């Protein structure tokens, strides 16, 4: 039974192409400014207050690894791609119910569990496209700037970034089965992912509140640590994966019981 | 009388029931969409589910397909209890469903939509159906008219040769020619042993094609009739424009209900024989006359009043 997976995958192609294109262009712009940032990196790190550096996860800004991990990834991957995954997933179920498409889908001999799982599985499209596109532009950019980058670390920062995106998708999916209005589900998902990102950064400024950041998914994905220190934190990635699976399981449980 | 016949039939054909509703109810807060509805649909018949818009027809259908959960009561569809999600999912391979509002994947072409459903439940009769109903398959569904969407819906509902078809207002949006074609097609399917559950708010349509009829009003099943009995309960909306004002008492006959007279125009719902009406009108100096399908609710009020007849009435 892959009919739904096929159609859902195809539906994600257009958005994925636009997203990947945008993020690749954005990353390329970052590279354009890298040389000037590199020159003033020390000044940067001296002048900027610590909390801002912490908020952005900036370390070793004068190296290409520090720049990618501290500048490009927090914006491009954690914030923008995270929002995209949450936003798209938040429309998956709610929109089909709203447009009565779900009536026809469920008139087939297919279980509600299978419908949700096939829809989630269709996220392979943006996951693959985003990884390939970003790896290519980052590797090309580093090479052009004459700053060779370790391919293994580059691959790991992408691979370990996938569970983070899946958690964002899980948040969207749960909203998608709980909230009736498509717009409400998608806006809430978008705001929530942004807020979680902000909370993670802000909580690091004050040690009294640092524990608050423990509930944010971005706390469990640190691109700088991976690129600069080659610390891969497999446990953190596992925590994210388990969270994603729990979110999907709860979504399925809600969806099989509700009226559509 | 008819209801008693039904009870006898139900007992003797217990195994032949394709759909069986048992006190099925759905409430949305204070609103009662379906109130303890009970009836059987037998194998090999066209069962009409007749009621005005908003009477609860779609709610019953969505309950039968497991799209919404009943507040109380239950139902069997092709032997599967609607509370048993797994069993219900399995029998859907043998069900064709045409919803009242068709939610297709708008960006796909008609062809791609049919391919999508074919992967889930087969399409051995697709070519045959496309001879009868011809939506523009190469175009995206978002460009379709109501009628074309309806035809695509009919093709997807029947292309896997289901033993039971559940059709929610199947002719809405179809031109009269296509409506006739659908009616003929349904009769052929019935003759081939298929069961058709057919909801409609058009009395004449149900009278034309159905074998048995359940009538629903405000969420309650008010009658279960053989078609012959329903045929006697027809009605026409009549507007007569006379040459000069007429005395209402002299003009009115017992077969006329809801009579309204304004100057030289008389408007009423006629529940008798067509011949008798024409003969009656010929006695007056008529300038113009309009005869059309009546408001279903007016007719129902006349025949079924406010009371619930159910299966015992």
């Amino acid at each position: 039974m892959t009919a739904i997976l096929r159609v859902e995958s195809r539906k994600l192609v257009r958005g994925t192409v636009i997203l990947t294109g945008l993020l690749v262009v954005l990353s390329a712009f970052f590279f354009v400014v890298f040389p000037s940032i590199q020159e003033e990196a020390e000044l940067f790190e001296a002048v900027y207050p610590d909390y801002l550096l912490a908020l952005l996860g900036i370390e070793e800004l004068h190296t290409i690894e520090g720049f990618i991990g501290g500048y490009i990834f927090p914006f491009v991957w954690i914030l923008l791609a995270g929002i995209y995954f949450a936003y798209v997933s938040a429309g998956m179920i709610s929109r089909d119910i709203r447009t009565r498409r779900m009536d026809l889908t469920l008139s087939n001999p297919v279980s509600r569990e299978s419908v949700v799982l096939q829809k989630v599985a269709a996220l392979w499209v943006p996951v693959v496209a985003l990884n390939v596109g970003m790896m290519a532009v980052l590797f090309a950019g580093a090479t052009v700037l004459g700053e060779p980058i370790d391919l293994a670390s580059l691959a790991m920062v992408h691979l370990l970034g996938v569970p983070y995106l899946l958690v964002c998708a899980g948040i969207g999916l749960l909203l998608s089965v709980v909230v009736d209005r498509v717009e409400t589900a998608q806006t809430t998902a978008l705001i929530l992912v942004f807020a979680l990102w902000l909370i993670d950064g802000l909580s690091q400024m004050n040690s009294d509140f640092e524990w608050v950041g423990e509930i944010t998914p971005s706390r469990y994905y640190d691109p700088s640590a991976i690129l600069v220190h080659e610390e891969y934190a497999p446990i953190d990635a596992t925590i994210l994966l388990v969270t994603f699976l729990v979110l999907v399981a709860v979504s399925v449980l809600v969806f099989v019981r509700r009226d559509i | 009388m008819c209801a008693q016949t039904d009870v006898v039939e139900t007992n003797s054909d217990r195994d032949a029931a394709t759909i069986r509703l048992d006190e099925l109810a759905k409430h949305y807060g204070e609103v009662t969409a379906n109130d303890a509805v009970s009836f059987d649909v037998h194998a090999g018949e066209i069962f009409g589910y007749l009621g005005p818009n908003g009477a609860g027809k779609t709610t019953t259908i969505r309950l039968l397909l497991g799209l919404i959960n009943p507040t109380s009561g239950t139902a069997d569809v092709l032997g599967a209890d609607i509370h048993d999600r797994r069993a219900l999912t399995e029998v859907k391979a043998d069900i064709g469903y045409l919803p009242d509002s068709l939610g297709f994947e708008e960006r796909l072409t008609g062809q791609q939509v049919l391919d999508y459903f074919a992967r889930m439940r087969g399409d051995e009769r697709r070519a045959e159906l496309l001879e009868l109903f011809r939506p523009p398959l190469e175009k995206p569904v978002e460009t379709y008219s109501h009628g074309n969407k309806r035809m695509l819906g009919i093709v997807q509902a029947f292309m896997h040769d289901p033993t039971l078809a559940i059709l929610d207002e199947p002719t809405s949006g179809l031109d009269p020619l296509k409506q006739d074609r659908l009616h003929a097609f349904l009769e052929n399917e019935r003759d081939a042993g298929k069961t058709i559950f057919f909801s409609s708010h058009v009395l004449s349509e149900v009278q034309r094609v159905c074998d048995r009829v359940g009538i629903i009003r405000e969420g309650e099943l008010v009658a279960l009739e053989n078609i012959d009995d329903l045929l006697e309960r027809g009605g026409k909306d009549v507007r007569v424009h006379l040459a000069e004002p007429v005395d209402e008492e002299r003009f009115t006959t017992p077969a006329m209900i809801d009579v309204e007279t304004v100057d030289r125009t008389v408007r009423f719902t006629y529940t008798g024989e067509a011949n008798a009406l024409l003969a009656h009108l010929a006695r007056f100096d008529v300038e113009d006359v309009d005869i059309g399908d009546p408001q279903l609710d007016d007719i129902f009020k006349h025949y079924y009043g406010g009371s619930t007849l159910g299966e015992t009435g």
Side-chain angles (χ1 to χ4, degrees), chain A residues 73-104:
Chain A
F73 261 83
F75 284 116
V76 170
W77 195 276
I78 297 181
L79 191 59
L80 298 181
I83 283 175
Y84 172 80
F85 272 75
Y87 185 82
V88 163
S89 307
M92 275 183 173
I93 305 291
S94 54
R95 177 167 289 113
D96 278 20
I97 293 177
R98 257 281 132 132
T99 58
R100 301 288 295 277
R101 219 178 280 151
M102 195 57 86
D103 283 31
L104 267 180

Side-chain angles (χ1 to χ4, degrees), chain B residues 42-306:
Chain B
H42 305 156
E45 72 175 348
I46 302 182
F47 184 90
Y49 197 39
L50 183 65
N53 290 324
K57 303 187 294 291
T58 299
T59 301
T60 307
I61 287 173
R62 299 181 86 240
L63 283 166
L64 290 176
L65 288 162
L67 301 175
I68 49 179
N69 300 305
T71 308
S72 63
T74 190
D76 279 7
V77 181
L78 292 177
D81 189 316
I82 58 167
H83 289 97
D84 184 347
R85 291 196 305 111
R86 188 170 299 185
L88 192 60
T89 300
E90 267 174 39
V91 298
K92 281 178 185 172
D94 265 331
I95 299 176
Y97 171 45
L98 179 65
D100 58 336
S101 123
L102 286 156
F104 290 120
E105 207 61 72
E106 297 275 313
R107 291 221 185 111
L108 298 185
T109 64
Q111 184 80 41
Q112 288 168 328
V113 165
L114 294 180
D115 290 346
Y116 168 66
F117 290 119
R119 275 189 211 105
M120 288 192 267
R121 48 178 151 84
D123 64 344
E124 57 264 38
R125 295 184 67 187
R126 190 202 292 207
E128 174 198 342
L129 285 156
L130 287 172
E131 299 268 308
L132 289 171
F133 307 101
R134 297 180 186 163
L137 287 183
E138 67 292 346
K139 286 192 188 153
V141 175
E142 59 195 348
T143 66
Y144 275 27
S145 65
H146 272 302
N148 281 334
K149 268 193 190 169
R150 188 65 47 185
M151 285 199 283
L152 189 64
I154 293 168
V155 174
Q156 68 79 31
F158 285 98
M159 70 179 182
H160 55 301
D161 203 19
T163 52
L164 165 66
I166 297 179
L167 314 174
D168 199 352
E169 301 276 357
T171 50
S172 77
L174 288 185
D175 62 53
L177 191 73
K178 295 279 170 18
Q179 291 190 10
D180 290 344
R181 192 171 286 182
L182 178 67
H183 292 151
F185 175 77
L186 294 180
E187 280 164 359
N188 286 337
E189 291 302 293
R190 185 259 325 269
D191 294 344
K194 306 292 170 53
T195 310
I196 317 276
F197 181 93
F198 179 134
S199 92
S200 177
H201 68 278
V202 184
L203 181 63
S204 55
E205 170 178 71
V206 168
Q207 286 174 328
R208 210 173 311 141
V209 290
C210 296
D211 303 315
R212 242 159 31 93
V213 179
I215 295 169
I216 182 168
R217 256 185 75 201
E218 290 165 9
E220 289 183 50
L221 191 77
V222 292
L224 205 54
E225 307 246 25
N226 281 312
I227 198 65
D228 296 337
D229 299 315
L230 187 69
L231 283 175
E232 293 168 6
R233 302 187 178 202
K236 288 290 169 198
D237 194 30
V238 185
R239 211 184 107 259
V240 187
H241 197 65
L242 297 151
E244 51 198 54
V246 68
D247 175 22
E248 193 176 303
E249 271 184 32
R250 195 169 72 87
F251 185 81
T252 309
T253 70
M256 296 179 188
I257 54 173
D258 300 332
V259 183
E260 271 175 59
T261 313
V262 180
D263 192 26
R264 293 181 294 143
T265 304
V266 190
R267 184 170 211 153
F268 56 92
T269 303
Y270 191 75
T271 57
E273 293 270 320
N275 267 331
L277 172 66
L278 295 177
H280 180 70
L281 291 181
R283 288 203 285 271
F284 298 86
D285 192 1
V286 176
E287 271 188 356
D288 192 12
V289 62
D290 252 344
I291 303 179
D293 274 328
Q295 289 297 315
L296 201 52
D297 220 24
D298 297 342
I299 291 285
F300 282 177
K301 255 181 230 148
H302 174 63
Y303 287 119
Y304 305 108

Side-chain angles (χ1 to χ4, degrees), chain A:
Chain A
M1 280 301 225
T2 56
I4 297 172
L5 173 60
R6 285 192 201 203
V7 165
E8 292 297 319
S9 302
R10 187 196 311 227
K11 268 164 64 184
L12 284 175
V13 167
R14 186 197 291 226
T16 295
V17 168
I18 294 172
L19 172 84
T20 309
L22 274 175
L23 296 189
V24 162
V25 169
L26 193 61
S27 305
F29 274 124
F30 273 112
F31 275 118
V32 173
V33 298
F34 175 66
S36 55
I37 285 182
Q38 193 177 23
E39 281 169 23
E40 296 168 31
E42 277 180 40
L43 191 67
F44 247 72
E45 285 173 13
V47 167
Y48 274 73
D50 280 346
Y51 70 83
L52 197 62
L53 297 176
L55 180 64
L56 299 173
I58 289 175
E59 284 180 89
E60 305 282 329
L61 198 57
H62 60 281
T63 66
I64 192 78
E65 288 86 0
F67 179 71
I68 292 175
Y71 240 79
I72 297 184
F73 261 83
F75 284 116
V76 170
W77 195 276
I78 297 181
L79 191 59
L80 298 181
I83 283 175
Y84 172 80
F85 272 75
Y87 185 82
V88 163
S89 307
M92 275 183 173
I93 305 291
S94 54
R95 177 167 289 113
D96 278 20
I97 293 177
R98 257 281 132 132
T99 58
R100 301 288 295 277
R101 219 178 280 151
M102 195 57 86
D103 283 31
L104 267 180
T105 305
L106 290 178
S107 74
N108 293 291
V110 58
S111 66
R112 292 195 185 193
E113 290 87 342
S114 175
V115 171
V116 176
L117 296 180
Q118 290 190 59
K119 280 175 170 278
V120 172
L123 288 173
W124 73 270
V125 174
V127 165
V128 169
L130 202 60
N131 274 287
V132 170
M134 287 296 291
M135 288 253 283
V137 72
L138 294 183
F139 186 73
T143 310
V144 167
L145 290 175
E147 298 267 355
I149 187 165
D150 180 25
L151 259 182
S153 309
L154 191 63
M156 283 312 278
V157 80
H158 283 87
L159 184 67
L160 296 174
V162 172
Y164 167 78
L165 294 180
L166 291 180
V167 169
C168 294
I171 291 170
L173 183 70
L174 186 57
L175 286 164
S176 188
V177 297
V178 173
V179 180
D180 282 331
R181 291 183 62 89
V182 187
E183 298 80 4
T184 313
Q186 292 196 311
T187 315
T188 311
L190 188 153
I191 291 170
L192 204 57
V193 168
F194 178 73
L196 286 170
W197 174 82
L198 207 62
I199 289 169
D200 178 28
L202 294 175
S203 69
Q204 289 179 18
M205 287 160 46
N206 187 328
S207 53
D208 287 346
F209 290 102
E210 207 181 333
W211 59 271
V212 179
E214 305 279 329
I215 57 152
T216 64
S218 48
R219 178 62 59 90
Y220 301 90
Y221 174 51
D222 187 346
S224 284
I226 297 167
L227 284 167
V228 179
H229 307 298
E230 295 181 18
E231 291 171 0
Y232 295 152
I235 293 175
D236 283 358
T238 309
I239 290 172
L240 290 176
L241 268 182
V242 170
T243 308
F244 164 66
L245 293 177
V246 168
L247 287 167
V248 172
V250 173
S251 304
V252 168
L253 280 177
V254 173
F255 181 58
V256 297
R257 276 162 183 76
R258 65 165 288 181
D259 285 358
I260 63 161

